[in-house]
Amino acid sequence: MRNILMTASVLALGATAAAAGGVERSAQSVAILFETGKYAEFSLGVVSPDVSGALGVPVGPFPVGSPSGDMLGTSVSLSFGYKQALNDKLDVAIILDQPIGAEISYPGTFGASPYPLAGTTADLNSTAVTGLVKYKFPSNVSVYGGLRMESVKGEVGIPFVSGYSLETNTDYELGYVVGVAWERPDIAARVALTYNSAITHTLESTETIGGGTFTGSFETEVPQSVNLEFQTGIAADTLLFGSIRWVDWSEFQIDPPIYPLSSPLVSYQSDRITYNLGIGRRFNENWSGAVTLGYEPSNDDITGNLGPTDGYKSIGLAATYTQDKMEITAGIRYFEIGDATTTLGAGFTDNHAIGAGVKIAYTF
């Protein structure tokens, strides 16, 4: 079943990024802990969203129907993982990924384009290194945990708000991971429940507005989350797999001290639960494939203008080629993005995204 799992895992690459307004870029899977022996993997995910809307109410000189243009850029996410068994009970792993990120650019120039946020840009970057240890009990139950070191940095420019701009330093903070799993290898069954702690960053800020420059600081919390990952064989060479992920997004906000509007620069009214379910099949010694469905319910919240989406539905296909100790997997995923109404009164509808991923893995 191993190469089927490889096929399944690549379909998660960029999945959260394709929610297209959310800042999450990694689903924080711990599946690497359950590989055998020494194992390394490198992954590349690319998401190309098409997200645009139009004013539903007049805003100053901008009339109803003023179009935003496609305001989200292509995102690229990289990850690396290494796992090693120390003995028949103890395993260790290290994971490098990018937990959150954003690439926002409203087209046009403010004052010369028919949308108030023309020329608005935002970039959010992060990197995390997670070290994990797993201990397996004789009853096929295992416990695991570790530490995550995370860095965050952001830049924003909003000409519409008196020429406002923000730049932060890169802040490094520590969080933790704990979990428990049950396995039954003879039918490729496994259930893993993982808790990822919140990580609070204190960011030093440089803000410019109305020609003045101000320095200060503010806190932002990359929220806690819970992952339930599961799989089981359902027939010869056939695997059912999936995940349920909850993220405490209502605790996340970016609210610099000088930003003049009444609502934060970025915030979410509700938490999110994301569901994925798929089937993988091994065709022969070299090839396997998988199909997956994803669903994140819409909450009908009013969204910020830097994240005008509300949930999604997705379908993905992937295939793995196995040769000796190397596996190469490629997959593609299509997302139908949920409609949203922003605080500016703009409606963003009929949007979509395409995500693709490649993973190379080697067993030593």
Side-chain angles (χ1 to χ4, degrees):
M1 292 290 184
R2 185 176 178 279
N3 55 353
I4 300 176
L5 294 175
M6 275 293 299
T7 311
S9 66
V10 80
L11 290 170
L13 295 176
T16 50
V23 299
E24 189 166 59
R25 292 294 182 266
S26 169
Q28 299 176 325
S29 172
V30 296
I32 191 172
L33 272 175
F34 301 92
E35 297 290 344
T36 57
K38 293 182 180 180
Y39 170 88
E41 64 180 30
F42 170 78
S43 302
L44 168 67
V46 179
V47 177
S48 178
D50 188 345
V51 176
S52 61
L55 290 179
V57 295
V59 177
F62 304 97
V64 172
S66 297
S68 71
D70 185 6
M71 48 71 64
L72 281 178
T74 297
S75 64
V76 178
S77 57
L78 301 171
S79 65
F80 170 80
Y82 175 79
K83 179 264 178 184
Q84 180 172 335
L86 300 182
N87 54 47
D88 60 349
K89 296 185 181 298
L90 199 62
D91 298 271
V92 295
I94 186 167
I95 301 169
L96 173 67
D97 64 3
Q98 298 164 302
I100 60 174
E103 299 82 17
I104 296 162
S105 180
Y106 278 89
T109 303
F110 177 66
S113 298
Y115 195 76
L117 291 178
T120 294
T121 60
D123 289 287
L124 177 63
N125 299 291
S126 71
T127 302
V129 178
T130 306
L132 298 171
V133 179
K134 177 171 74 77
Y135 182 82
K136 186 175 181 179
F137 294 97
S139 58
N140 289 333
V141 173
S142 57
V143 294
Y144 51 88
L147 297 177
R148 172 177 291 116
M149 175 60 73
E150 179 181 80
S151 70
V152 169
K153 174 181 171 60
E155 296 181 10
V156 176
I158 311 177
F160 176 64
V161 184
S162 302
Y164 177 84
S165 68
L166 163 71
E167 183 174 355
T168 77
N169 68 321
T170 300
D171 183 66
Y172 297 85
E173 297 293 344
L174 196 63
Y176 64 90
V177 181
V178 293
V180 60
W182 170 85
E183 299 176 87
R184 184 177 165 185
D186 59 318
I187 58 171
R190 182 173 73 236
V191 179
L193 182 65
T194 308
Y195 173 76
N196 298 277
S197 76
I199 301 178
T200 300
H201 294 269
T202 301
L203 296 167
E204 298 176 3
S205 60
T206 300
E207 296 174 90
T208 299
I209 187 168
T213 299
F214 306 87
T215 59
S217 66
F218 65 98
E219 290 188 348
T220 188
E221 179 183 293
V222 178
Q224 63 181 342
S225 65
V226 177
N227 280 7
L228 177 66
E229 299 174 275
F230 56 89
Q231 65 178 62
T232 184
I234 56 174
D237 296 324
T238 305
L239 189 76
L240 177 71
F241 60 89
S243 64
I244 302 173
R245 176 169 169 80
W246 169 82
V247 184
D248 193 13
W249 282 115
S250 59
E251 293 298 316
F252 175 80
Q253 68 174 18
I254 298 175
D255 193 15
I258 304 300
Y259 185 64
L261 300 189
S262 58
S263 58
L265 187 61
V266 179
S267 65
Y268 299 99
Q269 296 180 30
S270 304
D271 301 338
R272 289 287 180 179
I273 300 178
T274 306
Y275 305 89
N276 286 284
L277 185 66
I279 294 178
R281 181 161 179 81
R282 179 178 180 266
F283 303 119
N284 54 46
E285 292 183 358
N286 300 111
W287 287 99
S288 63
V291 59
T292 187
L293 300 175
Y295 177 58
E296 185 176 281
S298 297
N299 291 333
D300 297 324
D301 294 338
I302 301 298
T303 71
N305 295 285
L306 301 184
T309 67
D310 189 9
Y312 67 83
K313 301 173 184 176
S314 72
I315 184 170
L317 298 170
T320 293
Y321 176 75
T322 303
Q323 184 65 49
D324 298 326
K325 297 181 178 181
M326 180 174 288
E327 294 170 316
I328 301 174
T329 304
I332 190 168
R333 198 170 183 182
Y334 176 81
F335 295 80
E336 179 184 292
I337 297 170
D339 297 344
T341 300
T342 73
T343 55
L344 202 61
F348 282 71
T349 61
D350 301 323
N351 293 310
H352 65 273
I354 296 176
V358 175
K359 178 179 285 187
I360 300 172
Y362 191 83
T363 303
F364 298 89

